[in-house]
Amino acid sequence: MEECCALAINPYKDGRVVHETPNFFVSAALGSMGLPGYVLIVSREHFIGTGDMPPELHRELDELMQQTRGVLRNRYGRDTFFFEHGPRVGRCGWGGCIDHAHVHAVPGVDITELFALDLLRNLDETDLFYRVDRLDGFQRAVDIYDKRETSYVMVQRPQGERLFSEVNFPGESQWLRKLIAMQLHSSQWNWRAHPYRERAMQTAEELAGRF
């Protein structure tokens, strides 16, 4: 089974799904780096990223993100940082290691400043660029993906500001997870090497029935 398909199936097999809507589900994430409440919002149907989803699903995803934010705040007393690594487009692939639409929801962190500094660090050749827009919704991701020339990264700060960064150069696998690990003074950013399965199952138990 391809890994992208496993992302939509394994959480059900493992018992990590804590909530479902018609087109998405929320599951406790593997590779939480020990953080309680780290979850993924995953599309049921296969899309390569939010930029590949039909616009009629955007409102449902937005509402689910806000619901998830409230549930995590009530359970853990912390606000949530959301992010999406954009899909691989040509040589551009910003951190995504699995091309199936999913948004990370991580309570208690905010790596926006590290994110901005690291974007600058990656401009190490001529003709490289990034563009950051603060926008609601997901239409910006659609516009970027539809061109098939660049990719994007989406981050949403705990205060609710959503930023889309269009990039025309490749990024490291699990890039934003590495930045979270840096903020936590941890080296265990790789979810395959450090799955934290017990923590994931504990998160699933803690969130059961709270949506």
Side-chain angles (χ1 to χ4, degrees):
M1 178 186 297
E2 291 187 3
E3 206 165 30
C4 65
C5 299
L7 180 65
I9 296 173
N10 285 349
Y12 284 94
K13 294 171 63 177
D14 298 345
R16 291 184 282 117
V17 175
V18 298
H19 183 61
E20 299 173 277
T21 68
N23 293 288
F24 301 93
F25 65 84
V26 181
S27 72
L30 296 179
S32 68
M33 294 172 274
L35 290 168
Y38 189 153
V39 298
L40 300 179
I41 299 174
V42 185
S43 65
R44 290 174 175 271
E45 187 175 344
H46 178 65
F47 301 107
I48 199 171
T50 61
D52 184 37
M53 295 191 321
E56 54 265 30
L57 299 188
H58 293 177
R59 181 174 179 179
E60 182 181 338
L61 176 56
D62 256 327
E63 291 175 350
L64 181 55
M65 288 173 65
Q66 293 310 308
Q67 183 182 13
T68 300
R69 181 185 182 188
V71 168
L72 296 179
R73 174 67 180 170
N74 289 337
R75 177 61 183 83
Y76 299 105
R78 297 177 174 181
D79 287 321
T80 299
F81 180 83
F82 293 93
F83 70 89
E84 179 197 7
H85 291 121
R88 285 165 284 195
V89 179
R91 67 187 292 265
C92 304
W94 258 93
C97 60
I98 298 177
D99 280 343
H100 181 103
H102 62 289
V103 174
H104 298 246
V106 192
V109 304
D110 184 356
I111 59 166
T112 309
E113 291 185 6
L114 287 174
F115 164 71
L117 290 171
D118 221 44
L119 277 175
L120 284 171
R121 181 186 64 82
N122 277 277
L123 295 180
D124 56 359
E125 299 177 19
T126 57
D127 299 322
L128 300 183
F129 77 86
Y130 68 85
R131 168 184 165 179
V132 179
D133 296 279
R134 178 181 170 182
L135 297 167
D136 294 328
F138 289 91
Q139 187 58 44
R140 180 64 179 140
V142 174
D143 293 342
I144 294 169
Y145 180 69
D146 279 351
K147 294 188 299 182
R148 303 297 200 277
E149 296 173 353
T150 57
S151 190
Y152 64 88
V153 182
M154 184 279 291
V155 301
Q156 181 173 311
R157 304 193 68 186
Q159 297 87 345
E161 303 97 330
R162 184 174 300 167
L163 306 173
F164 289 91
S165 178
E166 179 181 9
V167 292
N168 75 335
F169 49 91
E172 302 173 50
S173 179
Q174 303 186 58
W175 174 50
L176 295 186
R177 288 178 46 81
K178 290 181 180 179
L179 296 183
I180 291 173
M182 184 185 303
Q183 189 172 83
L184 297 173
H185 305 289
S186 170
S187 61
Q188 298 184 342
W189 53 267
N190 188 333
W191 67 267
R192 293 186 181 92
H194 306 284
Y196 280 91
R197 290 185 182 277
E198 291 184 6
R199 177 64 256 182
M201 298 312 300
Q202 187 175 347
T203 290
E205 291 176 8
E206 292 165 351
L207 297 179
R210 291 185 172 267
F211 281 80

